[in-house]
């Protein structure tokens, strides 16, 4: 991931706090709200789009690029791959 990049999780709120949790510091911006939310964002700031498996975040990445964002990337494999790698998460519901 890009150092200093803004992490945008495009899942729904119930997924953000579910079994996969979320990356510490990630902002929840559900995919359906991305265009509205991005109106006030810096189009030159680096952004990393995150979802469960990489599909919705790929759509968010395309949308933002279409809106003129220059440094936006999709986190390939999403939170499934992130969890599989054993990286730190927060917001996980206790099992």
């Amino acid at each position: 991931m890009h150092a200093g990049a803004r992490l945008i999780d495009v899942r729904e709120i119930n997924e953000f706090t579910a079994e996969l949790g979320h990356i510490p510091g990630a902002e929840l911006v559900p995919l359906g709200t991305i265009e509205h939310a991005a109106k006030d964002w810096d189009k030159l700031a680096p952004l990393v789009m995150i979802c469960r498996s990489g599909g919705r975040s790929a759509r968010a990445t395309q949308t933002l690029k279409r809106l003129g964002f220059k440094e936006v990337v999709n986190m390939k494999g999403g939170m499934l791959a992130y969890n599989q790698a054993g990286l730190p998460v927060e917001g996980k519901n206790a099992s």
Side-chain angles (χ1 to χ4, degrees), residues 9-22 27-32 51-52 56 79 90-94:
D9 194 314
V10 299
R11 297 175 295 162
E12 297 299 320
I13 183 70
N14 60 322
E15 296 174 280
F16 195 68
T17 57
E19 73 278 357
L20 294 176
H22 57 269
E27 300 171 51
L28 178 64
V29 182
L31 181 59
C51 72
R52 181 177 184 274
R56 282 175 284 178
M79 288 304 295
E90 59 187 27
K92 238 183 207 194
N93 286 338

Side-chain angles (χ1 to χ4, degrees), residues 55-93:
R56 282 175 284 178
S57 53
R59 289 199 302 276
T61 299
Q62 291 171 344
T63 296
L64 292 173
K65 284 183 176 179
R66 180 176 46 78
L67 293 173
F69 286 82
K70 304 298 181 202
E71 282 197 63
V72 57
V73 297
N74 178 29
M75 188 173 91
K76 212 171 193 176
M79 288 304 295
L80 290 172
Y82 189 89
N83 272 260
Q84 190 171 27
L87 296 166
V89 297
E90 59 187 27
K92 238 183 207 194
N93 286 338

